Amino acid sequence: MSDGKVNPVLPPPSLSVGVIGWIKKNLFPSWFSGVLTVVLGYFIISSLIPFIDWAILKADFIGESPADCTSEGACWVFIGTRLDFFIYGFYPESEHWRVNVIYLIFGLIIVPQFFSAVSARIKMILGVFGVTVFPALSFVMIYGSETFGLPIVGTSVWGGLTLTLILAYVGIVAAIPIGILLALGRRSDMPLVRALCVVFIEFWRGVPLITILFMASVMLPLFLPDGVTFDRLLRALIGITLFQSAYMAEVIRGGLQAIPKGQYEAAEALGLGYWQGMGLIILPQALKIVIPGIVNTLISLFKDTTLVLVIGLFDLLRAVQATIIDPAWRNVATEGYIFAAFVFWVFCYSMSRYSQMLERKLHTGHKR
Amino acid sequence: MNQETELIQPPAQVASKAVKGEAIIKVIDMHKWYEQFHVLRGLNLEVSKGERIVICGPSGSGKSTFIRCINRLEEHQRGQIIVDGIELTDDLRNIDTIRREVGMVFQHFNLFPHLTVLENCCLAPIWVRKTPRKEAEQIAMKYLERVKIPDQAKKYPGQLSGGQQQRVAIARSLCMNPKIMLFDEPTSALDPEMIKEVLDVMIELAESGMTMLCVTHEMGFAKTVADRVIFMDQGEIVEQGIPKEFFGNPREARTRQFLQQILNH
Ligand SMILES: Nc1ncnc2c1ncn2[C@@H]1O[C@H](COP(=O)(O)OP(=O)(O)O)[C@@H](O)[C@H]1O
Ligand SMILES: [Mg+2]
């Protein structure tokens, strides 16, 4: 280029662009990958076709009774007729509207979080509302209140997806702050605080959740004085929350450890106090680093709520299990479980997507 | 290094603004240990208001530890440190008061990467000094102009060059309106072409009458602005003096050896 000529700007070679380029680059880059593509492709297609055939092409969607399931495909009619039960459990039908109001508000809080057009400020306000007023409001609406003329509906009839979501939501909203406090405590300068946090975390992490739930339902009443009853749902909630907050604490501690010492020092040198430094400098960065870990924990929390069936709570999975044995229908277990799996998947996948969005949004340029 | 000669050439020594007799920092027979390791061994130092002090010495001699003791990022175990009339003890209120009055600039900038440049600067005034946000932002912009990067206010630290980041760090400290500024090798993590822009800001700051304690090996800077140069080795102050004497006629063999190494470097 010393002769002053400038190299021309060239288009990329045609092999690397377009459909053909993509296929060659991604599916057949070498003979081994090519063989793998063909073999895997064969397995995927050969198992997908019968499934689509069963689940969609030959399935019955419309109807009200077992008699409407005439074809050899899936009997989705069954799901349709039991949908109310799957959503509300034994919650009295006349009061379903109360739960629906809460679902509506829940949607209004959650859905905007997924849209970048909504301003950060509104998302923030909705978020704060979601973790403060909303839980209280939900309790009043779902449990009822004499003051507001809403008949009391005891927790023993709560069930289905509603119960699953209550367990998961309360678990998530409570486990994160408790986890943060435990993580900070475990790194505290005060030996007593540190010891308490370590013992707490290691205890809850060391015991299977199912054991905790059994203990909460069977053993706890033995220790309580006669006549004192302790709501079964509340016990499950406490068990799940404390169990998950121990995991959460360890995830968050990982984030705290990843923050360079210089950040703590800069915060101190500027005169920020402990809580200011943590809240404004350290935690925002630490939590951002461990978003994948936090969401991982939240997803497992969501799925672990199904374990409450061992103490007789009627969550979504238990509701499905209870209905598929109805002899009036031909064997609909597959449909039931696929439905339950699908609902769980939708919620868990949404959390996963949301966390990816959040990570992208919080990215602020190059790493140091 | 080029800019060193550049800085030495003009004989224009920045006029001293030190107010003699009015000690703003007093260090009296101060000792510090890391576990068994006696890192600072009986330091004595008095710094007058407006005085500019450069501390140099070989790596590991305890320079960082020393200035970090002055805003209590490190704790000393014996002797006294009195800053602006307040003795540094375990009393948390004293520590808070002193940290408000003492700014610090680190080797690795330590900007907050999740906040914009402007937010970095406003954070402490808003939360520590309780300055209203509007006012804090005005002050921050004033200092960002002084370090010549007002146009970067909305960017994140990760989007700036090292020299720009260090200037933001200086502005961030100044926003707290400190009486004393501590610098711990502010240019040694920078690429050579960025050292000058940071030193220029520091020279300007020195001209404004700020009390400065600066750990640096930029001898050109020391000659231009320092009222006093201190040489530390193995946790002790070996020698100190005005730059002319210190560089022209060092008394101690250790100082001579060190200066030789630095200047031949
Ligand atoms: N946190 C620490 N724990 C133990 N030893 C340390 C610690 N920080 C520094 N030191 C030791 O103290 C000595 C002085 O360190 P430092 O003040 O950083 O020196 P300088 O800044 O002059 O290079 C070094 O020998 C270093 O290894
Ligand atoms: Mg050092």
Side-chain angles (χ1 to χ4, degrees):
Chain A
M1 282 209 295
S2 53
D3 53 3
K5 264 197 281 178
V6 178
N7 281 350
V9 178
L10 299 174
S14 64
L15 261 184
S16 64
V17 293
V19 179
I20 306 226
W22 187 90
I23 290 177
K24 184 160 166 30
K25 179 161 167 276
N26 292 291
L27 299 182
F28 300 96
S30 68
W31 69 266
F32 178 71
S33 305
V35 170
L36 215 56
T37 300
V38 171
V39 172
L40 287 177
Y42 172 77
F43 277 115
I44 291 173
I45 291 172
S46 63
S47 55
L48 211 56
I49 287 178
F51 179 76
I52 291 177
D53 199 39
W54 173 83
I56 299 171
L57 301 180
K58 293 211 182 102
D60 291 298
F61 289 93
I62 308 160
E64 268 120 48
S65 69
D68 294 313
C69 282
T70 48
S71 59
E72 37 186 306
C75 177
W76 299 120
V77 175
F78 164 74
I79 305 292
T81 57
R82 294 305 174 91
L83 201 55
D84 265 12
F85 185 64
F86 294 159
I87 294 176
Y88 307 100
F90 295 109
Y91 204 88
E93 202 169 346
S94 59
E95 307 296 321
H96 280 183
W97 67 271
R98 284 157 52 177
V99 179
N100 292 341
V101 169
I102 294 305
Y103 271 116
L104 182 70
I105 300 176
F106 180 65
L108 290 177
I109 294 170
I110 297 294
V111 174
Q113 309 287 344
F114 284 85
F115 291 92
S116 48
V118 182
S119 80
R121 199 183 163 77
I122 291 179
K123 283 179 185 169
M124 180 69 129
I125 293 170
L126 286 174
V128 170
F129 174 82
V131 299
T132 53
V133 181
F134 179 63
L137 180 71
S138 305
F139 180 76
V140 171
M141 283 298 283
I142 297 176
Y143 183 73
S145 151
E146 308 277 310
T147 338
F148 298 106
L150 297 169
I152 303 288
V153 179
T155 57
S156 56
V157 297
W158 298 10
L161 178 65
T162 312
L163 182 74
T164 296
L165 289 177
I166 290 172
L167 288 165
Y169 195 82
V170 174
I172 288 170
V173 168
I176 292 177
I178 297 175
I180 290 174
L181 290 178
L182 287 170
L184 292 177
R186 192 163 186 170
R187 287 168 58 84
S188 162
D189 293 334
M190 289 176 273
L192 187 65
V193 173
R194 198 165 55 227
L196 282 175
C197 290
V198 171
V199 169
F200 184 95
I201 291 169
E202 297 305 340
F203 170 79
W204 289 96
R205 281 206 310 170
V207 184
L209 180 56
I210 200 161
T211 315
I212 290 170
L213 292 173
F214 270 131
M215 287 199 311
S217 76
V218 182
M219 283 168 60
L220 197 62
L222 298 180
F223 299 121
L224 291 174
D226 279 343
V228 176
T229 57
F230 204 156
D231 190 87
R232 200 160 35 147
L233 175 60
L234 187 60
R235 277 180 279 171
L237 269 176
I238 293 175
I240 290 176
T241 302
L242 295 184
F243 180 81
Q244 297 292 353
S245 59
Y247 278 89
M248 196 60 81
E250 288 299 280
V251 170
I252 292 168
R253 189 165 69 97
L256 291 175
Q257 264 161 355
I259 305 299
K261 207 161 156 262
Q263 294 289 307
Y264 293 87
E265 291 176 351
E268 280 180 36
L270 284 168
L272 294 169
Y274 176 82
W275 292 107
Q276 286 177 334
M278 286 299 161
L280 297 166
I281 309 298
I282 306 301
L283 280 173
Q285 297 183 60
L287 293 179
K288 188 179 108 184
I289 297 174
V290 294
I291 287 174
I294 291 177
V295 173
N296 204 25
T297 309
L298 296 184
I299 287 176
S300 88
L301 183 156
F302 194 95
K303 295 189 295 187
D304 282 353
T305 58
T306 51
L307 288 175
V308 297
L309 66 84
V310 303
I311 59 170
L313 290 175
F314 249 77
D315 77 316
L316 174 63
L317 184 61
R318 181 80 187 90
V320 168
Q321 272 187 338
T323 45
I324 53 178
I325 53 174
D326 185 346
W329 296 78
R330 65 176 171 75
N331 188 355
V332 286
T334 316
E335 286 87 341
Y337 284 126
I338 286 179
F339 170 75
F342 178 72
V343 173
F344 276 99
W345 179 81
V346 166
F347 281 97
C348 294
Y349 184 67
S350 308
M351 285 196 257
S352 161
R353 293 299 307 183
Y354 179 71
S355 84
Q356 285 167 28
M357 265 180 50
L358 206 59
E359 273 179 76
R360 268 201 304 278
K361 206 188 82 189
L362 295 178
H363 184 69
T364 59
H366 317 285
K367 293 264 142 65
R368 309 186 328 120
Chain B
M1 287 186 181
N2 302 346
Q3 57 280 343
E4 207 169 89
T5 41
E6 220 174 290
L7 284 170
I8 299 169
Q9 292 311 308
Q13 158 91 27
V14 175
S16 173
K17 296 239 170 56
V19 185
K20 282 271 137 34
E22 217 179 306
I24 193 163
I25 302 175
K26 264 191 214 167
V27 179
I28 303 162
D29 192 31
M30 190 261 280
H31 293 254
K32 171 167 181 64
W33 286 262
Y34 283 124
E35 312 281 319
Q36 296 301 310
F37 177 50
H38 197 173
V39 55
L40 299 178
R41 313 179 186 178
L43 299 184
N44 286 290
L45 183 69
E46 262 192 39
V47 181
S48 310
K49 217 174 193 166
E51 199 175 6
R52 280 110 33 168
I53 291 186
V54 163
I55 301 171
C56 59
S59 172
S61 56
K63 308 176 299 291
S64 299
T65 308
F66 178 33
I67 65 166
R68 289 156 60 87
C69 281
I70 291 171
N71 67 349
R72 196 65 166 195
L73 285 183
E74 302 288 351
E75 208 174 310
H76 63 284
Q77 281 98 21
R78 224 168 83 189
Q80 278 181 305
I81 300 177
I82 300 161
V83 179
D84 199 23
I86 301 170
E87 176 163 6
L88 280 173
T89 58
D90 285 333
D91 192 334
L92 288 175
R93 271 167 313 169
N94 284 356
I95 296 173
D96 281 348
T97 318
I98 281 162
R99 283 186 181 155
R100 272 175 228 192
E101 306 306 334
V102 180
M104 184 159 204
V105 175
F106 301 86
Q107 182 176 0
H108 295 286
F109 332 133
N110 296 352
L111 292 177
F112 306 132
H114 62 303
L115 300 176
T116 64
V117 164
L118 187 64
E119 288 165 343
N120 263 276
C121 293
C122 293
L123 187 89
I126 290 173
W127 290 90
V128 180
R129 288 228 191 267
K130 315 285 179 212
T131 315
R133 178 175 295 272
K134 270 265 158 53
E135 200 184 321
E137 282 178 3
Q138 277 167 7
I139 296 172
M141 285 314 293
K142 186 181 92 186
Y143 283 113
L144 286 175
E145 261 157 44
R146 225 169 115 179
V147 302
K148 303 184 184 64
I149 34 175
D151 47 326
Q152 313 285 353
K154 290 278 180 288
K155 285 198 183 161
Y156 287 94
Q159 299 164 319
L160 304 183
S161 74
Q164 290 174 321
Q165 290 192 47
Q166 193 60 298
R167 284 185 283 150
V168 172
I170 295 173
R172 177 176 73 178
S173 285
L174 292 177
C175 283
M176 282 295 280
N177 196 18
K179 293 183 177 150
I180 300 163
M181 285 285 285
L182 308 174
F183 293 84
D184 191 0
E185 304 209 30
T187 57
S188 51
L190 295 177
D191 293 336
E193 75 270 17
M194 294 171 187
I195 292 179
K196 186 174 182 302
E197 64 187 55
V198 172
L199 288 182
D200 283 348
V201 166
M202 289 168 62
I203 291 171
E204 219 195 285
L205 188 62
E207 283 167 349
S208 75
M210 175 68 73
T211 308
M212 290 165 72
L213 256 77
C214 185
V215 175
T216 182
H217 290 163
E218 293 294 329
M219 291 306 143
F221 173 79
K223 287 173 186 166
T224 317
V225 305
D227 294 309
R228 205 172 357 148
V229 184
I230 290 176
F231 174 65
M232 279 182 71
D233 191 21
Q234 302 190 346
E236 289 172 318
I237 294 180
V238 175
E239 176 165 359
Q240 52 179 309
I242 60 169
K244 216 161 135 192
E245 282 174 18
F246 183 86
F247 292 111
N249 188 20
R251 290 186 302 272
E252 303 286 330
R254 274 194 277 178
T255 319
R256 276 198 292 275
Q257 197 191 349
F258 172 75
L259 285 176
Q260 217 140 44
Q261 276 169 2
I262 283 275
L263 296 175
N264 292 344
H265 168 65

